[in-house]
């Protein structure tokens, strides 16, 4: 689980409860819930096909997970494969393919072992990257849509509350409930957008960027191996894909001077 997401959600809930104090139950309103929450979910379903919209909450749960993206291990693996290919030939990597965890890296190495032209390997892997990015962005767009629809339905609820308020303005006993409906729907819309929908979407976008960076690193490594580059040259090229923290950790591990 991604601890930062858990902590963030917990802090948001605590802030709401503590901020409202003993009047917290006043914020619980069934009509406002139906207008804002169910209304915005319905609009999101309209905007996206069922193959994506029905998985909306699964996408949010996915943001709670914390898959490991280990660029250092990827660099170590590519370096060892480069050394082995130069020493024993490209075909020698075939026995290592079943142990490769990444499907992207495994497919690239399989094409390399089969003698596929480097340009063709590059095209194949770039298509895979594009398809992965497009698929993930389509999923994330569901949360972006919900994040846009929730405040809109909060405003719709506000307008409904005001219309009902004006319609019964002659009865003072209705002013409080109608005004409450008008304001709480706006609150619900803002909470959904800024707590449940948009933050997980932003986290998933950053995760996709990290995965794409790792895929580009794998692609560059595979092409270097196919072209028979010196493993140390390949290693220096792949370091460019590491973050500053990762580069320092890798160089410390290798016993190199860190500039």
């Amino acid at each position: 689980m991604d601890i930062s997401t858990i902590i963030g959600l917990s802090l948001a809930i605590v802030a709401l409860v503590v901020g409202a104090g003993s009047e917290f139950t006043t914020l619980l309103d069934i009509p406002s819930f139906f207008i804002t929450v169910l209304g915005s979910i319905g609009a999101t379903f309209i905007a996206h096909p069922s193959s994506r919209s029905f998985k909306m909450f699964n996408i949010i749960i996915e943001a709670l997970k914390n898959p490991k993206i280990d660029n250092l291990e990827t660099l170590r693996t590519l370096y060892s494969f480069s050394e082995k290919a130069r020493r024993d030939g490209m075909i020698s990597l075939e026995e290592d393919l079943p142990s490769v965890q990444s499907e992207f890296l495994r497919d690239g190495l399989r094409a390399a072992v089969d003698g596929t032209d480097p340009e063709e390997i590059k095209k194949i892997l770039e298509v895979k990257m594009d398809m992965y990015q497009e698929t993930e962005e389509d999923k994330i767009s569901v949360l972006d849509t919900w994040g846009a629809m929730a405040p809109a339905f909060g405003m719709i609820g506000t307008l409904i509350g005001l219309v009902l308020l004006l319609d019964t303005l002659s009865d003072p006993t209705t002013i409080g409930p109608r005004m409450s409906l008008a304001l709480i729907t706006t609150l619900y819309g803002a909470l959904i957008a800024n707590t449940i929908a948009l933050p997980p979407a932003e986290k998933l976008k950053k995760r996709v960027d990290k995965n794409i960076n790792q895929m580009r690193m794998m692609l560059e490594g595979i092409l270097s191996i196919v072209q028979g580059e010196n493993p140390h040259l390949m290693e220096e090229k792949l370091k460019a894909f590491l973050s500053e923290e990762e580069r320092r950790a890798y160089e410390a591990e290798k016993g190199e001077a860190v500039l």
Side-chain angles (χ1 to χ4, degrees):
M1 300 295 286
D2 187 347
I3 189 64
S4 69
T5 303
I6 302 298
I7 292 175
L9 286 173
S10 301
L11 288 175
I13 293 172
V14 169
L16 181 63
V17 173
V18 174
S22 60
E23 302 298 322
F24 177 74
T25 54
T26 306
L27 301 179
L28 305 179
D29 187 79
I30 299 300
S32 297
F33 175 87
F34 275 92
I35 292 172
T36 309
V37 179
L38 295 187
S40 61
I41 290 175
T44 303
F45 278 18
I46 294 171
H48 295 273
S50 59
S51 59
R52 291 201 301 266
S53 60
F54 286 0
K55 297 177 181 178
M56 182 166 68
F57 293 103
N58 290 337
I59 298 170
I60 295 174
I61 292 173
E62 186 178 331
L64 298 177
K65 299 177 182 178
N66 189 26
K68 189 175 183 181
I69 303 174
D70 195 341
N71 288 328
L72 297 185
E73 182 59 29
T74 299
L75 180 50
R76 295 187 202 103
T77 299
L78 289 168
Y79 183 79
S80 66
F81 284 168
S82 179
E83 287 189 315
K84 185 173 183 179
R86 277 174 65 90
R87 183 177 63 249
D88 303 324
M90 184 66 67
I91 195 67
S92 66
L93 300 182
E94 186 168 16
E95 63 187 30
D96 297 306
L97 294 181
S99 64
V100 176
Q101 297 296 317
S102 168
E103 180 182 352
F104 182 86
L105 179 57
R106 188 167 59 249
D107 289 347
L109 290 171
R110 167 61 66 186
V113 169
D114 290 343
T116 307
D117 183 77
E119 281 300 316
E120 287 302 314
I121 294 176
K122 183 178 180 181
K123 289 179 183 178
I124 292 170
L125 295 184
E126 284 180 343
V127 168
K128 285 181 176 290
M129 281 192 291
D130 290 341
M131 291 302 297
Y132 163 77
Q133 188 168 15
E134 182 178 338
T135 300
E136 293 301 309
E137 287 178 351
D138 284 345
K139 288 164 49 179
I140 294 169
S141 68
V142 175
L143 297 185
D144 285 333
T145 300
W146 193 24
M149 293 298 178
F153 271 84
M155 183 58 65
I156 290 173
T158 297
L159 294 175
I160 292 173
L162 291 176
V163 169
L164 295 176
L165 173 63
L166 294 174
D167 187 53
T168 57
L169 197 58
S170 58
D171 184 358
T173 62
T174 65
I175 294 177
R178 302 307 188 198
M179 184 60 71
S180 174
L181 174 65
L183 296 178
I184 290 179
T185 52
T186 300
L187 172 64
Y188 283 4
L191 285 175
I192 291 170
N194 296 291
T195 303
I196 304 175
L198 298 181
E202 187 64 25
K203 176 155 287 187
L204 290 174
K205 289 174 186 176
K206 288 182 170 61
R207 188 178 298 167
V208 170
D209 289 341
K210 289 181 180 179
N211 280 322
I212 290 294
N213 178 71
Q214 187 180 59
M215 288 177 178
R216 294 192 183 283
M217 179 182 182
M218 292 175 179
L219 171 58
E220 190 64 39
I222 292 168
L223 294 178
S224 293
I225 293 172
V226 172
Q227 293 165 356
E229 288 185 1
N230 185 294
H232 293 292
L233 175 60
M234 182 199 73
E235 180 184 39
E236 289 302 316
K237 289 168 62 176
L238 298 190
K239 282 183 185 179
F241 292 91
L242 302 179
S243 65
E244 184 65 22
E245 182 180 356
E246 288 171 333
R247 187 178 68 83
R248 289 179 178 275
Y250 185 76
E251 291 178 347
E253 177 184 298
K254 298 277 289 187
E256 299 176 4
V258 181
L259 300 178

